[in-house]
Amino acid sequence: MPITRAKSIDALYEECKGFDLVLVPDAPMASALNRRLDRPHFGPFAITPRRLAAQRREQDEYRLSFLESIESTDLDWKEASHAVGNIHQCWEYQGTVESILEYELFRTEATRTVVNCISESDTTLRRLTEYTIDADTSVAVVGLTQLTALERSILPPDYETIDPFTDETFDYPPFRVFDSPAAIVDAVLDTVTQENADDVGVVLDAASQYSSLIESAFEAAEIPYHGGPGFDDVPHHRAFLQLLRSAHAGRETRISDVRPLLTRFGKSIDIEHDEKRLYDSDQQAANWLLELHDEVRTGTFSAALDAYESAADTALDAFRDELSTLGLLHDPVTEEAVDRLEFYVQTYDIPVDHGNEGVLLADAKSAAHVDRPVVFYLGLDEGWTHSPPRRPWVDRDREFERNIQQFQLLLQNGIDQYYLVQDTAGGTPVTPCLYFEELFDESFERFSDLDSVPHSRAFRTTADGFAKESLDIAAAEVTTISQSSLNTYVNSPRDYFFSRLLDTPDKDYFREGNLLHDFAEYYVAHPESVTDETLAEVAESILDEVDPFLRGVDREVRHTKYRLGLQTIVEFLDTNPPHGDEFVAGNDGWGRNFFAEYYDRPIDTPHTERWFENTDLGLKGKIDLVHDSTHLLDYKSGSKKSAYSIVKHSALDPPSDKPNFQALLYLAHQRTVQPDEELQFTFFHFLETLDDIVAGEASLDDCLTTVTYYPHTFAEYVATEAVFNELKSEAANDCNKTFSKTEYEEYRAIFETHELPQTRDSDELIDSEFGHALTARMKENVGDYKYVKNGCKQALRHVLRIRNKNYFADDVDAFEQFVQERLEELNARRAGDERFPVGGLGGDPNYRYVDNRDCILEEESR
């Protein structure tokens, strides 16, 4: 079925102007018809059944009945609200307040109590039930099917119906497709001004992001509007509720949980403290809030409101009136009372005086008529679809027809209609409102499948914006980069950009990792000062430092974790003490050490915390432990990774989805210190064996992952006699058997005639010319046996395992070139040649490793 054309207000007026009374389904249509009256009229002309029966503006009957119920009964607030909702809904559909008692499932004592309570209340529903229209009144009804059974019950025996639709179809305007909700809001602001605001209506899903976006945009542009935010959207109302809630939140409340509240009060705490418990913070603003919490918890709601108004320098008269209406004003601020208040504010529409000037904001699920010449429709997605009540008194098919008719009327408001939509969100197609499936004959999945026009975002100037001052200063050149910055940059240049601008909260694992590193450095310098008693004291001191980040139940577990981790560090360093003379690995030890200050002992060792900045390579970093001149070690408090995983995630073309260049970067520097030497880099995961220690089965080897750098290209290394001997004795059975029956010279000769391919795929290597040549040579020397062919395959797989767990000269050469290219690219972007893109070399970033997720639009082009 196509969209049926709706009659204009002028056409409807012409049809109904001769009647004494015209009943319409919504108030905006009544107002529009009344504005067109061209003759004196006694009493109401166009009016809704509710307003006619009640002789007053329409009110939130659910809220008023709820207030009556909690005042007159002992029911729990949620129980009363649930009963009120069902009774009102059934009353609307069946015509009487007692009709709900006909349904056994709803015939509860709570329902009976509420029925008895509200049946005698002066509500619009009761007035509708009792009201009748004088039989001598000529009555016209516009959109009879839009009225509920209760509204139709007031109709006289004789009345005329006026169909709001014509027999024609409505040629809807094209959908105007934008990239984002912000672009849609910008498009609206390109048209709306302070001068024409009274001529514009905006229809949107009030529960969607469009609501807050358009409201904040209008406020920023000083464009008047009405029909927008409700009582619970007022910032001070929300903040007062948050104050009440946070006062009872308990000792696990984090500073991040109350940051919006502190901001509302003009208080500031550095973001690095966000993850700390509020009750254990030494920040002045936190102490101020805790004192306010004490004042709120021990007083009444009235006293809490006084305290808030004094702290925020504002008056919340509307909230005070509402607390009085609820009977809470002089009650203690208990957690149960706060729960009830929060439930009430979130459930019911509390009246707010919006005025009636400016742009009209209309909710897509409640409005059918918007009497404005220009109407913008924002979103038109599945959020616009009504969900018919799942109750036995509701005819769902009839309700669907009622809703789809209202939807058709809504789409045709105004002289000019603009359907502003988004085709995709986060790479996923946006589903159009489900009513379109009934209204359009063509099949579609997204708005671009329909008659649509793509739009790019308009850049507008609504004000002077931020003051700007041109500075003739060149961007400072980045000459070196650390492994963590390189990892971030390769994953997402945009995330790297924000990481240079924004601070991030300190984390418990950052703090504990740094402290455990500090102890390891301290122990290398002063092993003689550490005893079992010292380890217990160190574990306790680490726990005290990390405690503000922890839940109370975590303390004992963490203490055990730290004690065993320290024990593992001591055992490793006792078994493998660093040795060698003063190294040229870097500058002097770097930064403060917690335990050096705690025990008042200096750290003076050439092995620990060696900072380097290699401008020739463009690399910098800090080596935790120079075990000896050819062996570097890094302490890790996280879970253990295999050598294969380490090499895999340092891939360059393309980069891994979890780029990590630490080992590769440090080895690249170290080979300039110790050229032409075999080097090793070890990750010491000192918390890896906690469970095994408890079980008495721990082994230090299970904590260590080592990757080796060979000062040869991979092809050169594979051609060595050492690898040939591995194939004879350490590889799989058929491989050992095959190569033990030939000589090294035969093996070496293959490398002189065939080039080893640069691949990390075993099947590709086996099927290469080199693989075929190796197999042919071995068959010629050993014999054409099945085990020889299989042994060669095993040899090639063994060779690739060597490559995938170690680094070679050509790997490090490629990495050094890769770093130089990234630095050139980075400096060009810093100079403004191009924006920092969201996606890195590997495509879209891995968002699990993006630190500044809130600053990055996922759908933004790279």
Side-chain angles (χ1 to χ4, degrees):
M1 55 178 282
I3 300 177
T4 305
R5 178 173 290 279
K7 295 174 183 176
S8 68
I9 289 296
D10 291 331
L12 286 175
Y13 176 72
E14 289 300 321
E15 287 191 54
C16 61
K17 67 180 181 179
F19 292 88
D20 298 329
L21 181 66
V22 180
L23 296 180
V24 297
D26 59 31
M29 180 182 287
S31 299
L33 290 171
N34 287 330
R35 283 195 292 269
R36 285 161 174 78
L37 268 174
D38 55 5
R39 57 182 172 79
H41 188 88
F42 179 74
F45 171 61
I47 194 169
T48 65
R50 294 174 180 276
R51 186 170 296 186
L52 176 66
Q55 298 298 306
R56 64 192 179 198
R57 294 179 65 87
E58 296 177 33
Q59 298 175 302
D60 183 2
E61 296 297 315
Y62 286 81
R63 171 176 166 271
L64 296 177
S65 292
F66 168 76
L67 293 174
E68 178 75 18
S69 298
I70 62 172
E71 181 180 355
S72 305
T73 73
D74 295 328
L75 293 173
D76 173 81
W77 283 24
K78 289 188 178 182
E79 186 178 28
S81 175
H82 182 70
V84 165
N86 285 328
I87 292 167
H88 272 243
Q89 192 183 84
C90 188
W91 198 348
E92 289 273 10
Y93 283 90
Q94 299 300 320
T96 65
V97 65
E98 298 87 359
S99 56
I100 191 171
L101 300 177
E102 299 173 6
Y103 300 93
E104 183 177 356
L105 183 62
F106 297 88
R107 200 182 303 137
T108 65
E109 191 60 35
T111 302
R112 292 181 187 276
T113 301
V114 176
V115 166
N116 293 333
C117 173
I118 68 176
S119 60
E120 300 302 321
S121 300
D122 183 21
T123 62
T124 299
L125 295 184
R126 181 187 170 194
R127 292 193 181 194
L128 271 170
T129 305
E130 298 173 350
Y131 190 83
T132 58
I133 299 175
D134 192 329
D136 294 334
T137 304
S138 61
V139 177
V141 181
V142 178
L144 178 65
T145 58
Q146 296 298 108
L147 302 182
T148 66
L150 183 59
E151 290 171 329
R152 292 196 298 270
S153 70
I154 72 170
L155 297 175
D158 296 320
Y159 58 88
E160 293 290 332
T161 61
I162 296 177
D163 190 344
F165 295 100
T166 68
D167 295 329
E168 302 173 357
T169 60
F170 172 65
D171 295 327
Y172 65 92
F175 294 97
R176 300 180 181 274
V177 179
F178 292 82
D179 292 335
S180 67
I184 289 175
V185 171
D186 279 348
V188 175
L189 292 185
D190 283 338
T191 303
V192 183
T193 64
Q194 296 178 5
E195 291 73 25
N196 66 16
D198 289 334
D199 297 326
V200 176
V202 175
V203 184
L204 44 75
D205 174 13
S208 71
Q209 60 183 317
Y210 292 104
S211 181
S212 57
L213 285 174
I214 199 72
E215 290 161 14
S216 60
F218 283 156
E219 289 172 4
E222 298 183 349
I223 295 173
Y225 68 92
H226 63 99
F231 183 90
D232 62 332
D233 293 315
V234 177
H236 279 299
H237 292 177
R238 297 172 69 91
F240 178 61
L241 283 171
Q242 188 180 17
L243 173 63
L244 299 179
R245 174 61 65 204
S246 63
H248 290 282
R251 299 194 62 86
E252 304 301 333
T253 303
R254 306 290 166 171
I255 288 177
S256 59
D257 297 331
V258 296
R259 182 171 292 282
L261 188 59
L262 291 169
T263 301
R264 177 59 54 186
F265 288 127
K267 304 295 181 180
S268 176
I269 296 179
D270 289 343
I271 195 171
E272 67 179 85
H273 301 287
D274 263 15
E275 298 297 320
K276 293 180 180 178
R277 290 198 306 268
L278 177 67
Y279 281 81
D280 293 292
S281 173
D282 57 359
Q283 300 297 302
Q284 183 178 355
N287 294 332
W288 173 86
L289 182 59
L290 290 174
E291 292 175 3
L292 186 59
H293 280 171
D294 292 338
E295 185 177 352
V296 168
R297 272 196 308 271
T298 56
T300 64
F301 280 95
S302 178
L305 201 55
D306 289 340
Y308 181 93
E309 289 174 331
S310 175
D313 191 21
T314 189
L316 301 183
D317 295 335
F319 215 123
R320 190 177 300 275
D321 292 342
E322 210 58 37
L323 287 170
S324 180
T325 300
L326 291 167
L328 290 176
L329 189 60
H330 301 295
D331 286 357
V333 183
T334 63
E335 189 168 4
E336 293 77 11
V338 174
D339 287 340
R340 293 198 300 270
L341 174 61
E342 196 167 47
F343 166 76
Y344 169 73
V345 171
Q346 292 175 353
T347 303
Y348 294 103
D349 293 327
I350 302 169
V352 176
D353 184 13
H354 284 300
N356 57 3
E357 295 182 353
V359 178
L360 172 61
L361 300 183
D363 184 5
K365 290 185 177 179
S366 58
H369 186 80
V370 181
D371 189 25
R372 294 295 173 93
V374 178
V375 182
F376 292 95
Y377 300 81
L378 311 189
L380 289 160
D381 51 33
E382 57 187 342
W384 284 45
T385 308
H386 292 262
S387 298
R390 294 182 177 274
R391 293 291 186 268
W393 51 79
V394 177
D395 184 333
R396 293 175 62 83
D397 291 336
R398 182 173 180 178
E399 188 71 9
F400 178 80
E401 289 300 321
R402 179 170 176 261
N403 289 332
I404 202 169
Q405 285 188 12
Q406 178 177 311
F407 182 70
Q408 292 181 81
L409 290 171
L410 181 62
L411 291 179
Q412 302 178 53
N413 282 284
I415 299 172
D416 296 315
Q417 304 92 15
Y418 296 95
Y419 300 165
L420 311 184
V421 301
Q422 192 179 359
D423 202 41
T424 61
T428 303
V430 171
T431 303
C433 178
L434 301 184
Y435 298 132
F436 286 125
E437 293 184 4
E438 293 291 323
L439 298 174
F440 295 155
D441 294 331
E442 55 190 307
S443 62
F444 61 92
E445 293 183 357
R446 54 208 294 177
F447 286 110
S448 58
D449 295 335
L450 299 165
D451 181 15
S452 60
V453 178
H455 285 263
S456 59
R457 184 169 185 173
F459 291 91
R460 53 186 177 77
T461 303
T462 58
D464 294 335
F466 293 106
K468 297 180 180 179
E469 181 181 352
S470 297
L471 298 175
D472 187 18
I473 299 175
E477 183 179 3
V478 176
T479 58
T480 57
I481 192 168
S482 68
Q483 60 93 10
S484 58
S485 293
L486 183 60
N487 296 340
T488 300
Y489 181 79
V490 170
N491 184 46
S492 172
R494 184 73 56 85
D495 187 39
Y496 167 85
F497 171 74
F498 282 118
S499 72
R500 313 303 294 175
L501 300 178
L502 304 175
D503 293 327
T504 55
D506 198 2
K507 302 282 188 181
D508 63 323
Y509 49 86
F510 290 160
R511 181 67 63 87
E512 70 179 22
N514 288 336
L515 290 167
L516 289 164
H517 277 66
D518 282 358
F519 171 77
E521 181 186 17
Y522 176 83
Y523 186 74
V524 171
H526 305 288
E528 75 290 343
S529 69
V530 177
T531 64
D532 288 343
E533 292 75 15
T534 307
L535 289 183
E537 181 182 351
V538 168
E540 192 67 33
S541 65
I542 293 176
L543 185 61
D544 290 342
E545 288 294 308
V546 179
D547 185 65
F549 299 91
L550 305 180
R551 300 175 303 167
V553 296
D554 294 332
R555 281 187 60 89
E556 291 189 13
V557 174
R558 288 296 182 98
H559 186 273
T560 301
K561 171 183 175 181
Y562 301 151
R563 182 68 176 81
L564 297 180
L566 294 168
Q567 178 181 316
T568 302
I569 291 173
V570 167
E571 181 184 354
F572 173 80
L573 291 173
D574 286 347
T575 307
N576 304 279
H579 55 276
D581 299 326
E582 178 79 30
F583 298 120
V584 194
N587 301 324
D588 291 339
W590 187 86
R592 62 183 288 264
N593 183 291
F594 176 86
F595 295 103
E597 296 177 6
Y598 187 86
Y599 290 109
D600 193 22
R601 290 171 178 263
I603 300 292
D604 185 18
T605 167
H607 302 91
T608 59
E609 302 293 310
R610 308 310 297 172
W611 172 258
F612 68 87
E613 189 159 359
N614 191 325
T615 54
D616 291 337
L617 299 183
L619 305 175
K620 63 182 178 181
K622 183 177 65 172
I623 302 170
D624 286 349
L625 180 68
V626 181
H627 196 269
D628 61 44
S629 61
T630 61
H631 190 181
L632 309 180
L633 183 139
D634 193 75
Y635 300 106
K636 292 294 182 185
S637 56
S639 58
K640 182 182 177 183
K641 307 293 189 300
S642 66
Y644 173 81
S645 176
I646 291 167
V647 173
K648 174 185 176 182
H649 292 301
S650 63
L652 306 178
D653 186 20
S656 163
D657 63 343
K658 295 187 291 185
N660 191 333
F661 300 106
Q662 182 178 10
L664 190 53
L665 185 149
Y666 285 16
L667 288 169
H669 164 74
Q670 192 65 8
R671 79 168 181 173
T672 65
V673 179
Q674 300 290 335
D676 302 323
E677 294 220 31
E678 186 176 303
L679 308 174
Q680 289 185 315
F681 190 96
T682 294
F683 293 94
F684 176 28
H685 297 269
F686 51 83
L687 299 176
E688 182 69 20
T689 56
L690 295 183
D691 294 340
D692 294 335
I693 294 175
V694 173
E697 302 172 352
S699 169
L700 278 176
D701 290 342
D702 293 335
C703 298
L704 305 173
T705 298
T706 298
V707 290
T708 301
Y709 164 74
Y710 294 99
H712 314 282
T713 67
F714 174 62
E716 290 170 346
Y717 180 75
V718 173
T720 62
E721 190 168 2
V723 172
F724 176 75
N725 290 333
E726 280 188 38
L727 298 178
K728 290 171 56 177
S729 59
E730 300 178 22
N733 290 338
D734 286 347
C735 178
N736 294 344
K737 184 177 179 180
T738 299
F739 285 85
S740 62
K741 296 183 177 181
T742 189
E743 300 298 326
Y744 169 65
E745 288 72 18
E746 297 291 336
Y747 172 77
R748 173 71 186 180
I750 302 169
F751 291 90
E752 296 173 356
T753 57
H754 292 81
E755 183 178 351
L756 185 68
Q758 295 296 315
T759 181
R760 294 182 182 272
D761 181 85
S762 59
D763 291 336
E764 187 176 334
L765 179 58
I766 290 169
D767 198 40
S768 65
E769 290 187 11
F770 180 90
H772 293 310
L774 176 66
T775 304
R777 188 83 174 211
M778 292 301 107
K779 285 182 177 181
E780 180 180 339
N781 283 274
V782 179
D784 190 1
Y785 303 111
K786 184 177 180 180
Y787 77 85
V788 172
K789 181 179 180 181
N790 191 49
C792 290
K793 290 181 179 180
Q794 292 174 350
L796 294 171
R797 292 192 183 102
H798 183 86
V799 162
L800 272 193
R801 281 194 289 272
I802 295 174
R803 178 169 199 181
N804 290 334
K805 294 192 293 185
N806 300 282
Y807 294 116
F808 299 89
D810 41 349
D811 296 325
V812 179
D813 291 344
F815 175 70
E816 291 176 359
Q817 179 62 34
F818 177 82
V819 170
Q820 292 303 317
E821 291 171 357
R822 300 289 73 73
L823 287 174
E824 290 175 11
E825 183 181 76
L826 170 60
N827 284 311
R829 288 167 176 165
R830 283 171 55 87
D833 294 351
E834 63 172 295
R835 296 183 69 192
F836 282 81
V838 173
L841 295 175
D844 291 338
N846 185 334
Y847 284 100
R848 290 180 58 192
Y849 300 93
V850 167
D851 293 326
N852 302 282
R853 183 66 185 87
D854 292 344
C855 299
I856 297 176
L857 298 177
E858 187 169 341
E859 66 271 15
E860 188 173 347
S861 63
R862 294 171 54 210

